């Protein structure tokens, strides 16, 4: 149960971070670092990042960011696979 709450919270925080960064970009203010957005994504906010990118139409044109996001998701999937393999009782 705590994992569900954590994932809900990190997803919401990541979504809000993408929205806030878009707002800062529109107003020409200092932005949230891409590394911070990617870290939130890596820490479990993948769905928040994807929904935030779609909803706010943010970061789609930046191919380097998209590549980094894909790498983050690939690492997450690899970690999930490895954990599943090592934690599964046979």
């Amino acid at each position: 149960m705590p994992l569900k709450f954590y994932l809900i919270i990190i997803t919401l925080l990541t979504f809000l971070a993408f929205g806030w960064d878009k707002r800062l970009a529109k107003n020409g203010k200092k932005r949230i670092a891409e590394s911070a957005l990617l870290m939130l994504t890596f820490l479990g906010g993948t769905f928040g990042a994807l929904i935030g990118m779609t909803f706010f139409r943010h970061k789609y044109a930046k191919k380097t960011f998209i590549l980094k996001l894909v790498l983050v998701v690939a690492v997450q999937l690899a970690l999930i696979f490895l954990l599943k393999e090592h934690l599964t009782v046979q």
Side-chain angles (χ1 to χ4, degrees), residues 41-42 44 46-47 50 69-85:
T41 303
F42 179 75
T46 305
F47 291 118
L50 296 174
L69 185 72
V70 168
L71 289 173
V72 165
V73 173
V75 169
Q76 285 177 322
L77 291 173
L79 287 172
I80 289 168
F81 176 77
L82 289 172
L83 285 172
K84 183 180 178 218
E85 288 297 310

Side-chain angles (χ1 to χ4, degrees), residues 2-74:
L3 180 60
K4 280 185 186 180
F5 288 121
Y6 170 79
L7 290 174
I8 289 169
I9 291 168
I10 194 71
T11 297
L12 182 59
L13 285 174
T14 306
F15 174 80
L16 293 173
F18 273 80
W20 186 252
D21 189 51
K22 176 68 174 196
R23 182 180 179 139
L24 293 172
K26 281 181 143 182
N27 294 327
K29 296 190 176 179
K30 186 173 178 174
R31 310 267 306 276
I32 298 173
E34 282 189 0
S35 59
L37 294 173
L38 291 168
M39 183 56 71
L40 285 169
T41 303
F42 179 75
L43 294 174
T46 305
F47 291 118
L50 296 174
I51 294 167
M53 288 175 67
T54 304
F55 186 80
F56 299 112
R57 298 176 192 229
H58 190 46
K59 295 287 189 189
Y60 274 107
K62 200 157 187 196
K63 294 191 187 305
T64 57
F65 183 82
I66 299 293
L67 178 61
K68 291 173 189 174
L69 185 72
V70 168
L71 289 173
V72 165
V73 173

